[in-house]
Amino acid sequence: MFAPRSLAAVLVALLTLASACGGSSSDATASPDAGTSAAAADDSASEGTPGVRVVSVDDALAIAENPPADLVILDVRTADEFAEGHLEGAMMIDFYAEDFAAQLGELDPTVPYLLYCRSGNRSGQAAAMMADLGFVDVADVDGGISAWTGKGFPVVK
């Protein structure tokens, strides 16, 4: 009987530890470096570090105005939304298209992408798909084109 109780105690301890490592704000108080490393990771993402990441509209504007070589601006809204206004030079793949995943799979995963939708929901899902497909540099615009136009940044029709 002692072994099952010990096993149960170990499992409870492991589950408690695992839930504590979930990224709550208490992590910063557990170790002085824990919050610093998380902040550093957030800072590096906003500075344009390659990978699949969310960027502010200000960072997105900086990327669009000073684009890396081969930048693809990818709009994942519908054709009607795209016609209402989009970022200059953007290509569109409709997130709701039946073959959306296949169309993403046809893109070059080694070039940089600036990805957006209306509010960030569809582009967030697309970014996760792109990560799964091995894309190496995807900047997903936080708040989408709504945040972009909310700042008065330019669109073309």
Side-chain angles (χ1 to χ4, degrees), residues 66-149:
N66 188 19
D70 300 323
L71 177 69
V72 175
I73 301 174
L74 181 58
D75 186 323
V76 294
R77 298 176 301 150
T78 65
D80 287 342
E81 290 173 306
F82 188 83
E84 290 173 4
H86 55 274
L87 276 60
E88 186 172 350
M91 68 173 287
M92 188 207 82
I93 301 177
D94 186 343
F95 180 83
Y96 297 119
E98 287 183 24
D99 64 341
F100 178 73
Q103 290 184 61
L104 280 183
E106 293 173 6
L107 299 175
D108 183 349
T110 65
V111 300
Y113 289 85
L114 182 60
L115 172 68
Y116 70 96
C117 65
R118 182 181 56 81
S119 65
N121 182 19
R122 287 173 279 181
S123 64
Q125 293 176 62
M129 295 170 75
M130 294 171 86
D132 290 344
L133 290 168
F135 284 72
V136 297
D137 189 358
V138 178
D140 179 14
V141 180
D142 189 23
I145 200 163
S146 294
W148 180 274
T149 57

